[in-house]
Amino acid sequence: MQNGATKFFTVAVVLIFVYIALPMNTFAAEQINELRSTAAESADKVDHAALARHYEEQANEMYGKIEEQIEALKERSRSSYLGKHGQDIKKHVKYKIYELEKAAEENLEKAAYHRKIAEEQGLLPVFAESGDTQS
C-alpha cells in the first residue's frame, strides 16, 4: 500500500508543478520578447563614434604598455637572464609584449568597425581614404 500511495503522491506533485510552471514559462517568454525588442531599439542609439574613440584610446594605452615592457627588457642587465629562471623571465616579458600587441590590434579593429558604423549613420564626416586633397 505504501508503494501505491508513493506513486500517487509523486504523480500528484509532478502534475501540480506542471500546472504552476506552465504560466511562468509563458510569462518568461513574454519578458524575453520585450527585452529583445527594447534592445533592438536601443542598439540604434549607440554612439559608435564614442566607442571608436574608446577603442583607439585602449589601443594607445596598450602601445604605451608595450613600450614600457620593451624598455624594461632593455634596461635589465644581461646577467639577470642567467640562472635557473632568467630565461623564463625573458620569455614571459616577450609573451606579455606579444599579448599586448594582439590586444592593441583587436582594439584598433573594433575602433575601425565602430568608426565605419558611425560614418554610415552620419555621425562622423566621411573623409577620402586616398589622401588626395585639393587646395
Side-chain angles (χ1 to χ4, degrees):
M1 192 80 166
Q2 285 180 332
N3 197 10
T6 307
K7 286 182 183 178
F8 175 75
F9 182 72
T10 305
V11 169
V13 168
V14 169
L15 289 175
I16 290 171
F17 179 73
V18 169
Y19 180 74
I20 292 171
L22 240 126
M24 296 302 281
N25 286 339
T26 56
F27 175 74
E30 290 173 6
Q31 294 296 321
I32 289 172
N33 288 337
E34 287 178 22
L35 286 173
R36 285 183 181 158
S37 65
T38 56
E41 291 171 4
S42 65
D44 296 335
K45 299 175 185 176
V46 173
D47 187 5
H48 290 281
L51 283 172
R53 286 189 302 274
H54 169 73
Y55 285 121
E56 288 171 350
E57 290 171 3
Q58 291 290 322
N60 289 335
E61 288 178 20
M62 297 289 176
Y63 284 127
K65 290 179 183 179
I66 290 169
E67 291 299 319
E68 290 174 7
Q69 292 295 320
I70 291 173
E71 289 300 317
L73 196 61
K74 287 180 182 178
E75 289 178 7
R76 271 187 96 121
S77 65
R78 295 191 78 182
S79 63
S80 65
Y81 295 124
L82 300 176
K84 189 173 183 180
H85 300 290
Q87 292 299 316
D88 292 340
I89 293 170
K90 191 173 184 179
K91 286 179 185 178
H92 177 72
V93 172
K94 286 183 179 181
Y95 180 74
K96 275 176 60 174
I97 292 171
Y98 168 75
E99 288 295 316
L100 288 169
E101 287 174 345
K102 191 165 68 168
E105 291 298 320
E106 289 175 2
N107 281 328
L108 287 177
E109 288 174 7
K110 290 178 183 179
Y113 169 76
H114 285 288
R115 188 161 300 282
K116 177 184 169 193
I117 298 293
E119 289 172 356
E120 289 174 359
Q121 290 179 345
L123 298 175
L124 289 177
V126 180
F127 297 107
E129 292 190 22
S130 65
D132 297 335
T133 58
Q134 295 179 353
S135 299

